[in-house]
Amino acid sequence: MVGSITLAIIKPKAVELGHTGAIVHTINAAGFCIRGLKMMRMTRELAEEFYAVHKKSDFFNGLVEFMTSGPIVVVSITAENAVVSFRNTIGATDPKMAASDTIRAKFGTSMQMNAIHGSDSDKNAIRETNLLFAPEEIFDQKRS
Ligand code: IDP
Ligand code: MG
């Protein structure tokens, strides 16, 4: 593995709108290596655990509803300084506030449906990756 890891989730609305390919392309084009990728649907239990830090927020129930409403694409990625670098690539939480060349600005449709998730710390990147991927679904490769 080169550098550190982070976890991306292409959220249900972006998958439904057909943006999966463009977003995966953007991830690669921005210099990240993909070490795991799959389509899945979160159960309520998994979504509640994934977003446990937001349990007391007024947007928590809506967020869990939304994240379980359809298939998502989860991507485990690696890069130098992966967490910070990927947060810069996705942009601010609110797509309207995100810089114009970011994934959320291009593909997000609302604060809730902001196209993509990115881990906010190395610790959470590991926790989230372990929640969504089994060890045999991860493929670390040497860069050629
Ligand atoms: P982040 O995804 O940029 O780290 P967080 O504050 O961790 O933002 O919130 C997690 C997710 O919850 C956001 O990506 C978004 O989908 C949703 N969310 C955050 N704030 C709001 C809000 O005020 N209204 C509706 N949904 C929200
Ligand atoms: Mg967050």
Side-chain angles (χ1 to χ4, degrees):
M1 189 175 79
V2 181
S4 53
I5 64 164
T6 193
L7 190 274
I9 302 178
I10 305 174
K11 298 188 180 185
K13 191 69 183 175
V15 173
E16 183 192 320
L17 291 173
H19 296 318
T20 299
I23 292 174
V24 171
H25 172 72
T26 304
I27 291 171
N28 273 149
F32 299 95
C33 289
I34 293 173
R35 61 198 284 274
L37 185 152
K38 66 180 175 184
M39 196 170 200
M40 61 177 283
R41 187 163 177 171
M42 275 182 163
T43 61
R44 168 167 287 275
E45 191 184 26
L46 179 57
E48 285 178 351
E49 189 171 353
F50 187 89
Y51 282 117
V53 67
H54 295 302
K55 208 165 179 76
K56 291 187 177 136
S57 303
D58 52 7
F59 62 78
F60 179 74
N61 284 334
L63 179 61
V64 169
E65 246 349 273
F66 167 54
M67 290 301 291
T68 57
S69 67
I72 57 174
V73 174
V74 292
V75 193
S76 176
I77 61 191
T78 183
E80 293 295 338
N81 201 14
V83 165
V84 172
S85 177
F86 192 62
R87 292 289 297 203
N88 289 334
T89 300
I90 70 176
T93 306
D94 183 350
K96 289 200 292 288
M97 305 297 291
S100 59
D101 59 344
T102 60
I103 292 174
R104 282 171 164 171
K106 284 183 187 158
F107 303 110
T109 47
S110 72
M111 182 87 152
Q112 181 189 67
M113 300 181 185
N114 57 1
I116 193 156
H117 168 85
S119 311
D120 65 1
S121 68
D122 289 344
K123 193 174 165 221
N124 278 334
I126 292 164
R127 183 185 79 90
E128 293 171 357
T129 302
N130 289 339
L131 267 177
L132 293 176
F133 285 97
E136 64 270 22
E137 293 173 323
I138 296 295
F139 302 88
D140 282 314
Q141 296 164 61
K142 281 189 186 145
R143 251 198 265 238
S144 53

CSV table of all heavy atoms in Angstrom, one decimal, residues 1-29:
chain,number,residue,atom,x,y,z
A,1,MET,N,0.8,-1.2,0.0
A,1,MET,CA,0.0,0.0,0.0
A,1,MET,C,0.9,1.3,0.0
A,1,MET,O,1.9,1.3,0.7
A,1,MET,CB,-0.9,0.0,1.3
A,1,MET,CG,-1.9,1.0,1.3
A,1,MET,SD,-3.0,0.9,2.7
A,1,MET,CE,-2.0,1.6,4.0
A,2,VAL,N,0.5,2.2,-0.8
A,2,VAL,CA,1.2,3.5,-0.9
A,2,VAL,C,0.5,4.5,0.0
A,2,VAL,O,-0.7,4.8,-0.2
A,2,VAL,CB,1.3,4.0,-2.3
A,2,VAL,CG1,2.1,5.3,-2.4
A,2,VAL,CG2,1.9,2.9,-3.2
A,3,GLY,N,1.2,5.1,1.0
A,3,GLY,CA,0.6,6.1,1.8
A,3,GLY,C,-0.5,5.6,2.7
A,3,GLY,O,-0.3,4.5,3.3
A,4,SER,N,-1.6,6.4,2.9
A,4,SER,CA,-2.6,6.0,3.9
A,4,SER,C,-3.9,5.7,3.1
A,4,SER,O,-4.0,5.9,1.9
A,4,SER,CB,-2.8,7.2,4.8
A,4,SER,OG,-3.0,8.4,4.1
A,5,ILE,N,-4.9,5.4,3.9
A,5,ILE,CA,-6.2,5.0,3.2
A,5,ILE,C,-7.3,5.9,3.6
A,5,ILE,O,-7.3,6.7,4.6
A,5,ILE,CB,-6.7,3.5,3.6
A,5,ILE,CG1,-7.0,3.4,5.1
A,5,ILE,CG2,-5.6,2.5,3.1
A,5,ILE,CD1,-7.8,2.1,5.4
A,6,THR,N,-8.4,6.0,2.8
A,6,THR,CA,-9.6,6.6,3.1
A,6,THR,C,-10.8,5.8,2.5
A,6,THR,O,-10.5,4.9,1.7
A,6,THR,CB,-9.6,8.1,2.7
A,6,THR,OG1,-10.7,8.7,3.4
A,6,THR,CG2,-9.7,8.3,1.2
A,7,LEU,N,-12.0,6.2,2.9
A,7,LEU,CA,-13.2,5.4,2.4
A,7,LEU,C,-14.1,6.4,1.7
A,7,LEU,O,-14.5,7.4,2.3
A,7,LEU,CB,-13.8,4.7,3.6
A,7,LEU,CG,-14.9,3.7,3.5
A,7,LEU,CD1,-16.3,4.3,3.4
A,7,LEU,CD2,-14.7,2.7,2.3
A,8,ALA,N,-14.5,6.0,0.5
A,8,ALA,CA,-15.5,6.8,-0.2
A,8,ALA,C,-16.8,6.0,-0.4
A,8,ALA,O,-16.7,4.7,-0.5
A,8,ALA,CB,-15.0,7.1,-1.6
A,9,ILE,N,-17.9,6.7,-0.3
A,9,ILE,CA,-19.2,6.0,-0.7
A,9,ILE,C,-19.9,6.9,-1.7
A,9,ILE,O,-20.1,8.1,-1.4
A,9,ILE,CB,-20.1,5.9,0.6
A,9,ILE,CG1,-19.5,5.1,1.7
A,9,ILE,CG2,-21.5,5.3,0.1
A,9,ILE,CD1,-20.4,5.0,2.9
A,10,ILE,N,-20.2,6.4,-2.9
A,10,ILE,CA,-21.0,7.1,-3.8
A,10,ILE,C,-22.4,6.8,-3.4
A,10,ILE,O,-22.9,5.7,-3.2
A,10,ILE,CB,-20.8,6.6,-5.3
A,10,ILE,CG1,-19.3,6.7,-5.6
A,10,ILE,CG2,-21.6,7.4,-6.3
A,10,ILE,CD1,-18.9,6.0,-6.9
A,11,LYS,N,-23.1,7.9,-3.0
A,11,LYS,CA,-24.4,7.8,-2.3
A,11,LYS,C,-25.5,7.5,-3.3
A,11,LYS,O,-25.4,7.6,-4.5
A,11,LYS,CB,-24.7,9.2,-1.6
A,11,LYS,CG,-23.6,9.4,-0.5
A,11,LYS,CD,-23.9,10.6,0.4
A,11,LYS,CE,-22.8,10.9,1.4
A,11,LYS,NZ,-23.2,12.0,2.4
A,12,PRO,N,-26.7,7.0,-2.7
A,12,PRO,CA,-27.8,6.4,-3.6
A,12,PRO,C,-28.2,7.4,-4.7
A,12,PRO,O,-28.4,6.9,-5.8
A,12,PRO,CB,-28.9,6.2,-2.6
A,12,PRO,CG,-28.2,5.9,-1.3
A,12,PRO,CD,-27.0,6.8,-1.3
A,13,LYS,N,-28.4,8.6,-4.5
A,13,LYS,CA,-28.9,9.5,-5.5
A,13,LYS,C,-27.9,9.6,-6.7
A,13,LYS,O,-28.3,9.6,-7.9
A,13,LYS,CB,-29.2,10.9,-5.0
A,13,LYS,CG,-30.0,11.8,-5.9
A,13,LYS,CD,-31.4,11.3,-6.0
A,13,LYS,CE,-32.2,12.1,-7.0
A,13,LYS,NZ,-33.5,11.4,-7.2
A,14,ALA,N,-26.6,9.7,-6.4
A,14,ALA,CA,-25.6,9.8,-7.4
A,14,ALA,C,-25.5,8.5,-8.2
A,14,ALA,O,-25.3,8.5,-9.5
A,14,ALA,CB,-24.2,10.1,-6.8
A,15,VAL,N,-25.7,7.3,-7.6
A,15,VAL,CA,-25.8,6.1,-8.3
A,15,VAL,C,-27.0,6.0,-9.2
A,15,VAL,O,-26.9,5.7,-10.4
A,15,VAL,CB,-25.8,4.9,-7.3
A,15,VAL,CG1,-26.0,3.5,-8.0
A,15,VAL,CG2,-24.5,4.8,-6.5
A,16,GLU,N,-28.1,6.4,-8.6
A,16,GLU,CA,-29.4,6.5,-9.4
A,16,GLU,C,-29.3,7.4,-10.6
A,16,GLU,O,-29.8,7.0,-11.7
A,16,GLU,CB,-30.5,6.9,-8.4
A,16,GLU,CG,-31.9,7.0,-9.0
A,16,GLU,CD,-32.9,7.7,-8.1
A,16,GLU,OE1,-32.8,7.6,-6.9
A,16,GLU,OE2,-33.7,8.5,-8.7
A,17,LEU,N,-28.6,8.5,-10.5
A,17,LEU,CA,-28.5,9.4,-11.6
A,17,LEU,C,-27.5,9.0,-12.6
A,17,LEU,O,-27.3,9.7,-13.6
A,17,LEU,CB,-28.2,10.8,-11.0
A,17,LEU,CG,-29.3,11.5,-10.2
A,17,LEU,CD1,-28.7,12.8,-9.6
A,17,LEU,CD2,-30.5,11.8,-11.1
A,18,GLY,N,-26.8,7.9,-12.4
A,18,GLY,CA,-25.8,7.4,-13.4
A,18,GLY,C,-24.4,8.0,-13.3
A,18,GLY,O,-23.7,8.0,-14.3
A,19,HIS,N,-24.1,8.6,-12.1
A,19,HIS,CA,-22.8,9.2,-12.0
A,19,HIS,C,-21.6,8.3,-11.5
A,19,HIS,O,-20.5,8.8,-11.3
A,19,HIS,CB,-22.9,10.4,-11.1
A,19,HIS,CG,-23.8,11.5,-11.6
A,19,HIS,ND1,-23.8,11.9,-12.9
A,19,HIS,CD2,-24.8,12.2,-10.9
A,19,HIS,CE1,-24.8,12.9,-13.0
A,19,HIS,NE2,-25.3,13.1,-11.9
A,20,THR,N,-21.9,7.1,-11.3
A,20,THR,CA,-20.9,6.2,-10.7
A,20,THR,C,-19.6,6.2,-11.5
A,20,THR,O,-18.5,6.4,-11.0
A,20,THR,CB,-21.4,4.7,-10.6
A,20,THR,OG1,-22.6,4.7,-9.7
A,20,THR,CG2,-20.4,3.8,-10.0
A,21,GLY,N,-19.7,6.0,-12.9
A,21,GLY,CA,-18.5,5.9,-13.7
A,21,GLY,C,-17.7,7.2,-13.7
A,21,GLY,O,-16.5,7.2,-13.5
A,22,ALA,N,-18.4,8.3,-13.8
A,22,ALA,CA,-17.7,9.6,-13.8
A,22,ALA,C,-17.0,9.9,-12.5
A,22,ALA,O,-15.9,10.4,-12.4
A,22,ALA,CB,-18.7,10.7,-14.1
A,23,ILE,N,-17.7,9.5,-11.4
A,23,ILE,CA,-17.0,9.7,-10.0
A,23,ILE,C,-15.8,8.8,-9.8
A,23,ILE,O,-14.8,9.2,-9.4
A,23,ILE,CB,-18.1,9.5,-8.9
A,23,ILE,CG1,-19.1,10.7,-9.0
A,23,ILE,CG2,-17.4,9.5,-7.5
A,23,ILE,CD1,-20.3,10.6,-8.0
A,24,VAL,N,-16.0,7.5,-10.2
A,24,VAL,CA,-14.8,6.6,-10.1
A,24,VAL,C,-13.7,7.1,-11.0
A,24,VAL,O,-12.5,7.1,-10.6
A,24,VAL,CB,-15.2,5.2,-10.5
A,24,VAL,CG1,-14.0,4.3,-10.6
A,24,VAL,CG2,-16.2,4.6,-9.5
A,25,HIS,N,-14.0,7.6,-12.2
A,25,HIS,CA,-12.9,8.2,-13.0
A,25,HIS,C,-12.2,9.4,-12.3
A,25,HIS,O,-11.0,9.5,-12.4
A,25,HIS,CB,-13.5,8.6,-14.4
A,25,HIS,CG,-12.5,9.4,-15.2
A,25,HIS,ND1,-11.5,8.8,-15.8
A,25,HIS,CD2,-12.4,10.7,-15.4
A,25,HIS,CE1,-10.7,9.7,-16.4
A,25,HIS,NE2,-11.2,10.9,-16.2
A,26,THR,N,-13.1,10.2,-11.7
A,26,THR,CA,-12.5,11.4,-11.0
A,26,THR,C,-11.5,11.0,-9.9
A,26,THR,O,-10.5,11.6,-9.7
A,26,THR,CB,-13.6,12.3,-10.5
A,26,THR,OG1,-14.5,12.6,-11.5
A,26,THR,CG2,-13.1,13.5,-9.8
A,27,ILE,N,-11.9,9.9,-9.2
A,27,ILE,CA,-11.1,9.4,-8.1
A,27,ILE,C,-9.7,9.0,-8.7
A,27,ILE,O,-8.7,9.3,-8.1
A,27,ILE,CB,-11.8,8.2,-7.3
A,27,ILE,CG1,-13.0,8.8,-6.6
A,27,ILE,CG2,-10.8,7.5,-6.4
A,27,ILE,CD1,-13.9,7.7,-6.0
A,28,ASN,N,-9.7,8.2,-9.7
A,28,ASN,CA,-8.5,7.8,-10.3
A,28,ASN,C,-7.7,8.9,-10.9
A,28,ASN,O,-6.5,9.0,-10.7
A,28,ASN,CB,-8.7,6.7,-11.4
A,28,ASN,CG,-8.8,5.3,-10.9
A,28,ASN,OD1,-9.5,4.5,-11.4
A,28,ASN,ND2,-8.1,5.0,-9.8
A,29,ALA,N,-8.4,9.8,-11.6
A,29,ALA,CA,-7.7,10.9,-12.3
A,29,ALA,C,-7.1,11.9,-11.3
A,29,ALA,O,-6.1,12.5,-11.6
A,29,ALA,CB,-8.7,11.7,-13.2
